[in-house]
Amino acid sequence: MFFNLNRTVANPKQWIKRKRRSPLFFLSISLISLLFLFFFLTHTPITNYSIFSASSKAENTALSQKYPHCEARFHGEKFLWYAPHSGFSNQLSEFKNAILMASILNRTLIVPPILDHHAVALGSCPKFRVQSPKEIRVSVWDHIVELLRSRRYVSMADIIDISSLLSSSLVRAVDFRVFVSLWCGLNLDLVCSNGLNVPSSLVADSLKQCGSLLSGIDGNIDRCLFAVDEDCRTTVWTYQNGVDGTLDSFQPDEQLKKKKKFSYVRRRRDVYKALGPGSGAESATVLAFGSLFTSPYKGSELYIDIQKAPGDPRIESLINKIEFLPFVPEIINSGKQFAAQTIKAPFLCAQLRLLDGQFKNHWKATFLSLRQKLELLRQAGSRPIHIFVMTDLPRGNWTGNYLGDLARDSANFKLYFLSEEDLLVMNMAKKLALARRGLRFESVPGSLDAVAKVEKHCSPDILPDVLLYMEETVCSCASLGFVGTAGSTIAQSIEVMRKFGLCSSPTQTAF
């Protein structure tokens, strides 16, 4: 039967008036259709593989067009990125964990900047109320862009000295700015130089595309990015302890499950087995974590429980080394100088955190520890007692509390402080800005040109806030002892510095 496909119908009613077809007509059509289908099925190789490969090819083509820089392989180099957050001490703790994870997985660590205090918050792991890895990566990206545009960017490696780790080949590292400029093809000179005559929409689009990719908004991209979605609600990362996949000892209690209407199960997983060779993450150029913060809680670690690696001497050595990562020489030397040339006597350090978070409700306990320590020193006959005070309570608010009492009793106590306006602090900040240590260890192919652009267009216009680092260094030199606020991560950092004898070590040579 033939149909004239070029035929036109002058009057549609002709179709209505036409005589109905007999049932044999429809039967013949059905038989012809069945015969055609049989021929197609027996002569055309249809498999699930061909269907999915076509779909995957189309998807990969679309992603390649959207992210052409994913084809850049850095000659096989692979990287680890994570999302720091909270205050400096927490960010330093995460940095140590990132160094460890990057070394275990044989990846180059992308060194982030130091974020503003609590510019990005994680939430509460014990309460199973945290930002998801994707959410926190997006928040960190947005804040880093703000640091670049306001010319306040300071790398973690500008403050923390990792030169010994790099020289021992335990760690490979690249500055975040250098990495994104190479991987995303991001023109940081356009981002940092507001005066250039470039449409803001062009810069915004480039930033959005790079941020979306690095944050994992579009999900995982084969051989380009693998975004880790596990966080402290579901996972405790381990290494070589033989408990891969088992339940962790800390689980949400039934009351919390009912109250929050969720059902999380925390498992202990070996990071090398899950994300190393043979895993789905292995081929990706970038492995992107969310938070890497952990702390002990109810007999377990909240996210990372890698305390030793007896079967891997290289990682065992690294675990020992990262327990204490010193400040760069510019900071250490300035802190020692203040202790030797300004205080000029044995002194006590009092780190009093009084305004932030939980600490604002524990003034009595914080002051009690200091009072007891000073009473012991008075009984020993030391007068006046020299005290270096490190506190977040402005001196104008000392009236009516124990700090005000100490300040008035000049016969028995001599107090010392540092402020951002002090000449020694300002000079040290200038030295740090000029040293640019975070850009001195680039070994990624093509990085030299990127480093030059960063130095030319993205150097900070505002001196870095270095008061905290210098105060911690001075406290490490307190020969009469140290009184810290219970539960403060700053106090914990100072205790580690004192344990490793930072102040007693020889003065370091700066660049």
Side-chain angles (χ1 to χ4, degrees):
M1 181 178 292
F2 299 96
F3 294 92
N4 183 358
L5 299 179
N6 295 320
R7 180 186 177 192
T8 58
V9 180
N11 184 2
K13 291 183 179 180
Q14 292 178 356
W15 291 100
I16 300 175
K17 294 178 181 179
R18 184 167 294 173
K19 185 178 180 179
R20 291 180 178 272
R21 300 288 186 183
S22 68
L24 290 175
F25 170 80
F26 295 104
L27 179 60
S28 62
I29 292 296
S30 300
L31 288 173
I32 292 173
S33 299
L34 286 172
L35 288 172
F36 177 78
L37 180 61
F38 176 78
F39 178 84
F40 180 79
L41 290 174
T42 56
H43 290 79
T44 305
I46 299 178
T47 64
N48 287 336
Y49 176 81
S50 65
I51 292 173
F52 285 116
S53 63
S55 174
S56 176
K57 183 177 180 180
E59 182 180 349
N60 287 337
T61 299
L63 288 172
S64 296
Q65 292 174 349
K66 185 174 183 180
Y67 301 119
H69 43 274
C70 282
E71 299 300 323
R73 304 305 298 170
F74 292 104
H75 300 284
E77 191 90 8
K78 296 176 183 178
F79 302 85
L80 185 144
W81 160 242
Y82 71 102
H85 55 81
S86 305
F88 173 75
S89 298
N90 282 5
Q91 292 178 50
L92 177 56
S93 174
E94 282 190 276
F95 184 56
K96 293 178 180 180
N97 288 330
I99 289 173
L100 179 59
M101 300 292 255
S103 188
I104 289 173
L105 297 172
N106 193 25
R107 288 177 174 269
T108 298
L109 176 62
I110 302 172
V111 179
I114 296 173
L115 275 57
D116 291 340
H117 186 70
H118 288 312
V120 178
L122 171 64
S124 173
C125 282
K127 295 180 181 179
F128 288 73
R129 187 181 65 241
V130 297
Q131 286 196 71
S132 70
K134 183 183 297 184
E135 290 172 331
I136 200 166
R137 285 191 294 262
V138 170
S139 298
V140 168
W141 171 263
D142 290 342
H143 185 64
I144 290 177
V145 171
E146 193 276 323
L147 291 176
L148 284 169
R149 285 181 157 169
S150 60
R151 304 290 287 274
R152 296 187 297 110
Y153 189 107
V154 177
S155 171
M156 179 63 78
D158 287 331
I159 305 301
I160 298 299
D161 189 357
I162 60 172
S163 58
S164 63
L165 298 180
L166 297 172
S167 62
S168 64
S169 300
L170 288 171
V171 178
R172 302 189 307 274
V174 62
D175 181 80
F176 175 86
R177 295 161 293 185
V178 173
F179 174 77
V180 296
S181 67
L182 294 172
W183 192 54
C184 292
L186 190 62
N187 292 321
L188 287 180
D189 47 344
L190 302 184
V191 178
C192 299
S193 303
N194 296 324
L196 293 178
N197 186 23
V198 178
S200 58
S201 60
L202 179 62
V203 177
D205 289 344
S206 298
L207 288 170
K208 182 179 179 180
Q209 186 185 72
C210 188
S212 296
L213 175 59
L214 197 59
S215 301
I217 291 178
D218 292 330
N220 297 336
I221 302 174
D222 185 34
R223 302 186 64 80
C224 181
L225 177 109
F226 187 94
V228 178
D229 290 330
E230 288 85 353
D231 58 32
C232 59
R233 293 170 291 189
T234 62
T235 304
V236 179
W237 292 116
T238 64
Y239 180 58
Q240 290 189 340
N241 62 3
V243 294
D244 185 46
T246 62
L247 291 176
D248 185 55
S249 61
F250 171 57
Q251 302 287 341
D253 57 44
E254 294 302 320
Q255 183 179 1
L256 184 61
K257 288 181 181 180
K258 291 179 181 179
K259 181 179 179 181
K260 300 297 183 181
K261 296 180 180 179
F262 65 72
S263 180
Y264 289 111
V265 176
R266 280 167 50 94
R267 294 191 179 276
R268 300 175 69 80
R269 301 185 61 197
D270 189 294
V271 66
Y272 188 78
K273 293 180 180 178
L275 303 172
S279 70
E282 179 190 15
S283 64
T285 301
V286 178
L287 177 65
F289 281 93
S291 164
L292 285 180
F293 178 74
T294 191
S295 63
Y297 187 78
K298 291 190 175 181
S300 181
E301 283 285 341
L302 287 177
Y303 192 47
I304 299 173
D305 191 4
I306 304 175
Q307 313 297 331
K308 55 185 178 179
D312 191 336
R314 186 177 66 90
I315 298 301
E316 185 78 10
S317 174
L318 181 62
I319 291 173
N320 294 330
K321 286 180 177 293
I322 64 174
E323 182 182 356
F324 172 57
L325 293 179
F327 291 123
V328 295
E330 290 83 359
I331 297 174
I332 294 174
N333 294 342
S334 295
K336 289 181 177 181
Q337 181 182 342
F338 180 83
Q341 299 180 10
T342 301
I343 301 180
K344 300 179 183 178
F347 67 97
L348 172 78
C349 173
Q351 182 264 334
L352 308 172
R353 194 169 177 180
L354 301 170
L355 297 181
D356 189 23
Q358 60 174 327
F359 307 105
K360 60 186 177 183
N361 300 319
H362 298 88
W363 285 31
K364 185 176 180 180
T366 301
F367 285 143
L368 179 60
S369 298
L370 177 59
R371 191 189 300 269
Q372 292 173 340
K373 180 65 176 179
L374 291 176
E375 185 59 32
L376 290 174
L377 291 174
R378 289 185 64 180
Q379 292 175 6
S382 301
R383 295 192 185 184
I385 299 173
H386 299 264
I387 309 171
F388 177 72
V389 179
M390 177 182 178
T391 183
D392 55 355
L393 184 67
R395 269 177 270 180
N397 296 343
W398 287 13
T399 303
N401 59 58
Y402 187 53
L403 277 176
D405 296 340
L406 292 176
R408 288 193 301 271
D409 190 359
S410 57
N412 292 303
F413 305 103
K414 186 170 179 59
L415 274 54
Y416 299 86
F417 322 91
L418 277 170
S419 68
E420 295 177 356
E421 295 77 24
D422 288 348
L423 184 60
L424 184 61
V425 176
M426 294 179 65
N427 285 339
M428 191 258 284
K430 292 177 182 177
K431 291 178 181 178
L432 282 180
L434 291 173
R436 299 171 185 168
R437 288 176 174 268
L439 294 172
R440 296 290 178 260
F441 51 80
E442 311 303 337
S443 58
V444 175
S447 64
L448 291 179
D449 183 56
V451 168
K453 287 185 177 180
V454 170
E455 290 185 321
K456 180 178 180 180
H457 299 285
C458 298
S459 297
D461 282 343
I462 301 173
L463 289 178
D465 184 357
V466 298
L467 180 61
L468 173 65
Y469 321 134
M470 192 163 171
E471 286 179 325
E472 290 188 7
T473 303
V474 174
C475 280
S476 73
C477 296
S479 57
L480 293 183
F482 170 67
V483 177
T485 303
S488 169
T489 53
I490 296 174
Q492 294 170 7
S493 295
I494 295 171
E495 293 283 15
V496 171
M497 294 169 70
R498 293 175 61 82
K499 173 185 174 181
F500 282 84
L502 174 69
C503 197
S504 59
S505 60
T507 299
Q508 300 184 49
T509 303
F511 285 148

mmCIF file of all heavy atoms in Angstrom, residues 447-479:
data_model
loop_
_atom_site.group_PDB
_atom_site.id
_atom_site.type_symbol
_atom_site.label_atom_id
_atom_site.label_comp_id
_atom_site.label_asym_id
_atom_site.label_seq_id
_atom_site.Cartn_x
_atom_site.Cartn_y
_atom_site.Cartn_z
ATOM 1 N N SER A 447 53.541 26.768 36.896
ATOM 2 C CA SER A 447 53.165 27.590 38.043
ATOM 3 C C SER A 447 53.960 28.886 38.146
ATOM 4 O O SER A 447 53.504 29.847 38.765
ATOM 5 C CB SER A 447 53.328 26.794 39.338
ATOM 6 O OG SER A 447 54.688 26.463 39.561
ATOM 7 N N LEU A 448 55.153 28.936 37.564
ATOM 8 C CA LEU A 448 55.988 30.129 37.714
ATOM 9 C C LEU A 448 55.302 31.370 37.168
ATOM 10 O O LEU A 448 55.325 32.446 37.773
ATOM 11 C CB LEU A 448 57.339 29.917 37.023
ATOM 12 C CG LEU A 448 58.266 28.885 37.674
ATOM 13 C CD1 LEU A 448 59.560 28.760 36.877
ATOM 14 C CD2 LEU A 448 58.571 29.279 39.113
ATOM 15 N N ASP A 449 54.666 31.231 36.010
ATOM 16 C CA ASP A 449 53.950 32.366 35.423
ATOM 17 C C ASP A 449 52.758 32.742 36.283
ATOM 18 O O ASP A 449 52.471 33.931 36.478
ATOM 19 C CB ASP A 449 53.487 32.013 34.012
ATOM 20 C CG ASP A 449 52.805 33.186 33.313
ATOM 21 O OD1 ASP A 449 53.430 34.264 33.208
ATOM 22 O OD2 ASP A 449 51.642 33.032 32.897
ATOM 23 N N ALA A 450 52.068 31.745 36.810
ATOM 24 C CA ALA A 450 50.913 32.014 37.672
ATOM 25 C C ALA A 450 51.343 32.707 38.954
ATOM 26 O O ALA A 450 50.673 33.632 39.431
ATOM 27 C CB ALA A 450 50.187 30.705 37.987
ATOM 28 N N VAL A 451 52.476 32.275 39.530
ATOM 29 C CA VAL A 451 52.991 32.918 40.738
ATOM 30 C C VAL A 451 53.317 34.381 40.464
ATOM 31 O O VAL A 451 53.004 35.268 41.274
ATOM 32 C CB VAL A 451 54.251 32.172 41.243
ATOM 33 C CG1 VAL A 451 54.960 32.990 42.324
ATOM 34 C CG2 VAL A 451 53.877 30.803 41.783
ATOM 35 N N ALA A 452 53.923 34.645 39.320
ATOM 36 C CA ALA A 452 54.270 36.025 38.973
ATOM 37 C C ALA A 452 53.029 36.901 38.872
ATOM 38 O O ALA A 452 53.024 38.052 39.325
ATOM 39 C CB ALA A 452 55.040 36.036 37.653
ATOM 40 N N LYS A 453 51.961 36.352 38.291
ATOM 41 C CA LYS A 453 50.721 37.130 38.175
ATOM 42 C C LYS A 453 50.101 37.386 39.547
ATOM 43 O O LYS A 453 49.570 38.469 39.811
ATOM 44 C CB LYS A 453 49.735 36.388 37.281
ATOM 45 C CG LYS A 453 50.096 36.421 35.805
ATOM 46 C CD LYS A 453 49.005 35.777 34.957
ATOM 47 C CE LYS A 453 49.346 35.880 33.470
ATOM 48 N NZ LYS A 453 48.298 35.267 32.622
ATOM 49 N N VAL A 454 50.130 36.370 40.413
ATOM 50 C CA VAL A 454 49.592 36.546 41.766
ATOM 51 C C VAL A 454 50.365 37.628 42.502
ATOM 52 O O VAL A 454 49.783 38.502 43.151
ATOM 53 C CB VAL A 454 49.646 35.214 42.547
ATOM 54 C CG1 VAL A 454 49.321 35.446 44.022
ATOM 55 C CG2 VAL A 454 48.662 34.211 41.955
ATOM 56 N N GLU A 455 51.696 37.577 42.404
ATOM 57 C CA GLU A 455 52.514 38.574 43.102
ATOM 58 C C GLU A 455 52.279 39.975 42.559
ATOM 59 O O GLU A 455 52.303 40.953 43.301
ATOM 60 C CB GLU A 455 53.995 38.200 42.982
ATOM 61 C CG GLU A 455 54.375 36.972 43.791
ATOM 62 C CD GLU A 455 55.871 36.697 43.747
ATOM 63 O OE1 GLU A 455 56.459 36.879 42.655
ATOM 64 O OE2 GLU A 455 56.437 36.305 44.770
ATOM 65 N N LYS A 456 52.024 40.074 41.260
ATOM 66 C CA LYS A 456 51.853 41.391 40.644
ATOM 67 C C LYS A 456 50.475 41.974 40.916
ATOM 68 O O LYS A 456 50.350 43.171 41.227
ATOM 69 C CB LYS A 456 52.072 41.277 39.138
ATOM 70 C CG LYS A 456 51.920 42.606 38.396
ATOM 71 C CD LYS A 456 52.204 42.443 36.907
ATOM 72 C CE LYS A 456 52.060 43.775 36.169
ATOM 73 N NZ LYS A 456 52.338 43.625 34.718
ATOM 74 N N HIS A 457 49.435 41.134 40.823
ATOM 75 C CA HIS A 457 48.075 41.672 40.871
ATOM 76 C C HIS A 457 47.329 41.392 42.176
ATOM 77 O O HIS A 457 46.352 42.086 42.474
ATOM 78 C CB HIS A 457 47.246 41.094 39.716
ATOM 79 C CG HIS A 457 47.779 41.429 38.360
ATOM 80 N ND1 HIS A 457 47.635 42.677 37.792
ATOM 81 C CD2 HIS A 457 48.461 40.675 37.453
ATOM 82 C CE1 HIS A 457 48.197 42.689 36.592
ATOM 83 N NE2 HIS A 457 48.714 41.488 36.367
ATOM 84 N N CYS A 458 47.767 40.405 42.932
ATOM 85 C CA CYS A 458 46.981 39.983 44.095
ATOM 86 C C CYS A 458 47.711 40.153 45.417
ATOM 87 O O CYS A 458 47.308 39.561 46.425
ATOM 88 C CB CYS A 458 46.546 38.526 43.929
ATOM 89 S SG CYS A 458 45.487 38.228 42.501
ATOM 90 N N SER A 459 48.795 40.902 45.443
ATOM 91 C CA SER A 459 49.477 41.148 46.712
ATOM 92 C C SER A 459 48.560 41.956 47.625
ATOM 93 O O SER A 459 47.838 42.850 47.159
ATOM 94 C CB SER A 459 50.784 41.921 46.477
ATOM 95 O OG SER A 459 51.666 41.146 45.696
ATOM 96 N N PRO A 460 48.563 41.656 48.935
ATOM 97 C CA PRO A 460 47.633 42.340 49.844
ATOM 98 C C PRO A 460 47.890 43.831 49.941
ATOM 99 O O PRO A 460 49.042 44.273 50.006
ATOM 100 C CB PRO A 460 47.878 41.638 51.185
ATOM 101 C CG PRO A 460 49.231 41.020 51.071
ATOM 102 C CD PRO A 460 49.402 40.663 49.636
ATOM 103 N N ASP A 461 46.813 44.592 49.938
ATOM 104 C CA ASP A 461 46.894 46.031 50.160
ATOM 105 C C ASP A 461 46.816 46.356 51.641
ATOM 106 O O ASP A 461 47.216 47.430 52.082
ATOM 107 C CB ASP A 461 45.737 46.747 49.434
ATOM 108 C CG ASP A 461 45.993 46.883 47.945
ATOM 109 O OD1 ASP A 461 47.160 46.735 47.540
ATOM 110 O OD2 ASP A 461 45.030 47.098 47.188
ATOM 111 N N ILE A 462 46.252 45.419 52.421
ATOM 112 C CA ILE A 462 46.061 45.610 53.853
ATOM 113 C C ILE A 462 46.976 44.646 54.584
ATOM 114 O O ILE A 462 47.043 43.463 54.253
ATOM 115 C CB ILE A 462 44.588 45.345 54.241
ATOM 116 C CG1 ILE A 462 43.672 46.295 53.456
ATOM 117 C CG2 ILE A 462 44.377 45.510 55.742
ATOM 118 C CD1 ILE A 462 42.205 45.993 53.640
ATOM 119 N N LEU A 463 47.691 45.127 55.600
ATOM 120 C CA LEU A 463 48.588 44.271 56.357
ATOM 121 C C LEU A 463 47.794 43.163 57.044
ATOM 122 O O LEU A 463 46.688 43.398 57.539
ATOM 123 C CB LEU A 463 49.356 45.085 57.403
ATOM 124 C CG LEU A 463 50.431 46.039 56.868
ATOM 125 C CD1 LEU A 463 51.067 46.806 58.014
ATOM 126 C CD2 LEU A 463 51.496 45.267 56.089
ATOM 127 N N PRO A 464 48.337 41.955 57.088
ATOM 128 C CA PRO A 464 47.617 40.852 57.720
ATOM 129 C C PRO A 464 47.471 41.059 59.216
ATOM 130 O O PRO A 464 48.312 41.706 59.862
ATOM 131 C CB PRO A 464 48.502 39.641 57.407
ATOM 132 C CG PRO A 464 49.863 40.201 57.172
ATOM 133 C CD PRO A 464 49.637 41.530 56.535
ATOM 134 N N ASP A 465 46.413 40.503 59.774
ATOM 135 C CA ASP A 465 46.176 40.557 61.214
ATOM 136 C C ASP A 465 47.021 39.462 61.867
ATOM 137 O O ASP A 465 46.701 38.270 61.761
ATOM 138 C CB ASP A 465 44.690 40.338 61.504
ATOM 139 C CG ASP A 465 44.365 40.484 62.978
ATOM 140 O OD1 ASP A 465 45.304 40.692 63.776
ATOM 141 O OD2 ASP A 465 43.180 40.364 63.347
ATOM 142 N N VAL A 466 48.086 39.851 62.532
ATOM 143 C CA VAL A 466 49.052 38.878 63.054
ATOM 144 C C VAL A 466 49.128 38.879 64.576
ATOM 145 O O VAL A 466 49.968 38.188 65.161
ATOM 146 C CB VAL A 466 50.457 39.160 62.473
ATOM 147 C CG1 VAL A 466 50.457 39.010 60.958
ATOM 148 C CG2 VAL A 466 50.934 40.565 62.863
ATOM 149 N N LEU A 467 48.264 39.638 65.220
ATOM 150 C CA LEU A 467 48.356 39.787 66.675
ATOM 151 C C LEU A 467 48.253 38.438 67.386
ATOM 152 O O LEU A 467 49.024 38.148 68.312
ATOM 153 C CB LEU A 467 47.263 40.731 67.169
ATOM 154 C CG LEU A 467 47.225 40.986 68.680
ATOM 155 C CD1 LEU A 467 48.534 41.627 69.142
ATOM 156 C CD2 LEU A 467 46.036 41.877 69.048
ATOM 157 N N LEU A 468 47.296 37.609 66.990
ATOM 158 C CA LEU A 468 47.090 36.325 67.646
ATOM 159 C C LEU A 468 48.348 35.460 67.602
ATOM 160 O O LEU A 468 48.746 34.855 68.605
ATOM 161 C CB LEU A 468 45.933 35.583 66.979
ATOM 162 C CG LEU A 468 45.699 34.139 67.442
ATOM 163 C CD1 LEU A 468 45.283 34.089 68.904
ATOM 164 C CD2 LEU A 468 44.653 33.452 66.561
ATOM 165 N N TYR A 469 49.002 35.408 66.442
ATOM 166 C CA TYR A 469 50.171 34.548 66.281
ATOM 167 C C TYR A 469 51.323 35.026 67.163
ATOM 168 O O TYR A 469 52.041 34.211 67.768
ATOM 169 C CB TYR A 469 50.629 34.517 64.825
ATOM 170 C CG TYR A 469 49.499 34.499 63.827
ATOM 171 C CD1 TYR A 469 49.491 35.335 62.711
ATOM 172 C CD2 TYR A 469 48.391 33.660 64.011
ATOM 173 C CE1 TYR A 469 48.455 35.320 61.800
ATOM 174 C CE2 TYR A 469 47.339 33.652 63.101
ATOM 175 C CZ TYR A 469 47.378 34.487 62.003
ATOM 176 O OH TYR A 469 46.335 34.483 61.112
ATOM 177 N N MET A 470 51.466 36.317 67.245
ATOM 178 C CA MET A 470 52.554 36.856 68.057
ATOM 179 C C MET A 470 52.268 36.661 69.544
ATOM 180 O O MET A 470 53.171 36.343 70.325
ATOM 181 C CB MET A 470 52.755 38.336 67.737
ATOM 182 C CG MET A 470 54.036 38.901 68.314
ATOM 183 S SD MET A 470 54.467 40.453 67.525
ATOM 184 C CE MET A 470 55.818 40.961 68.583
ATOM 185 N N GLU A 471 51.010 36.826 69.949
ATOM 186 C CA GLU A 471 50.649 36.605 71.351
ATOM 187 C C GLU A 471 50.907 35.152 71.755
ATOM 188 O O GLU A 471 51.419 34.880 72.854
ATOM 189 C CB GLU A 471 49.171 36.950 71.573
ATOM 190 C CG GLU A 471 48.882 38.439 71.572
ATOM 191 C CD GLU A 471 47.393 38.729 71.767
ATOM 192 O OE1 GLU A 471 46.565 37.933 71.263
ATOM 193 O OE2 GLU A 471 47.063 39.742 72.403
ATOM 194 N N GLU A 472 50.548 34.215 70.892
ATOM 195 C CA GLU A 472 50.789 32.812 71.199
ATOM 196 C C GLU A 472 52.283 32.533 71.348
ATOM 197 O O GLU A 472 52.697 31.751 72.221
ATOM 198 C CB GLU A 472 50.187 31.923 70.111
ATOM 199 C CG GLU A 472 48.665 31.892 70.108
ATOM 200 C CD GLU A 472 48.102 30.850 69.149
ATOM 201 O OE1 GLU A 472 48.893 30.068 68.580
ATOM 202 O OE2 GLU A 472 46.871 30.811 68.975
ATOM 203 N N THR A 473 53.086 33.162 70.518
ATOM 204 C CA THR A 473 54.530 32.970 70.601
ATOM 205 C C THR A 473 55.077 33.510 71.915
ATOM 206 O O THR A 473 55.910 32.866 72.574
ATOM 207 C CB THR A 473 55.235 33.651 69.415
ATOM 208 O OG1 THR A 473 54.718 33.132 68.192
ATOM 209 C CG2 THR A 473 56.727 33.405 69.464
ATOM 210 N N VAL A 474 54.620 34.701 72.322
ATOM 211 C CA VAL A 474 55.064 35.272 73.598
ATOM 212 C C VAL A 474 54.676 34.346 74.740
ATOM 213 O O VAL A 474 55.473 34.078 75.660
ATOM 214 C CB VAL A 474 54.467 36.679 73.807
ATOM 215 C CG1 VAL A 474 54.802 37.202 75.205
ATOM 216 C CG2 VAL A 474 54.976 37.651 72.754
ATOM 217 N N CYS A 475 53.457 33.802 74.705
ATOM 218 C CA CYS A 475 53.003 32.898 75.761
ATOM 219 C C CYS A 475 53.868 31.642 75.840
ATOM 220 O O CYS A 475 54.053 31.069 76.917
ATOM 221 C CB CYS A 475 51.543 32.503 75.530
ATOM 222 S SG CYS A 475 50.359 33.761 76.066
ATOM 223 N N SER A 476 54.372 31.199 74.697
ATOM 224 C CA SER A 476 55.229 30.010 74.705
ATOM 225 C C SER A 476 56.537 30.270 75.435
ATOM 226 O O SER A 476 57.237 29.321 75.828
ATOM 227 C CB SER A 476 55.509 29.558 73.272
ATOM 228 O OG SER A 476 56.421 30.431 72.619
ATOM 229 N N CYS A 477 56.892 31.552 75.639
ATOM 230 C CA CYS A 477 58.143 31.928 76.303
ATOM 231 C C CYS A 477 57.961 32.217 77.795
ATOM 232 O O CYS A 477 58.920 32.635 78.463
ATOM 233 C CB CYS A 477 58.748 33.156 75.634
ATOM 234 S SG CYS A 477 59.258 32.908 73.916
ATOM 235 N N ALA A 478 56.772 32.017 78.338
ATOM 236 C CA ALA A 478 56.477 32.375 79.728
ATOM 237 C C ALA A 478 57.104 31.353 80.682
ATOM 238 O O ALA A 478 56.574 30.255 80.873
ATOM 239 C CB ALA A 478 54.972 32.452 79.939
ATOM 240 N N SER A 479 58.214 31.720 81.314
ATOM 241 C CA SER A 479 58.959 30.785 82.158
ATOM 242 C C SER A 479 58.293 30.542 83.512
ATOM 243 O O SER A 479 58.602 29.545 84.187
ATOM 244 C CB SER A 479 60.386 31.294 82.366
ATOM 245 O OG SER A 479 60.383 32.593 82.936
#
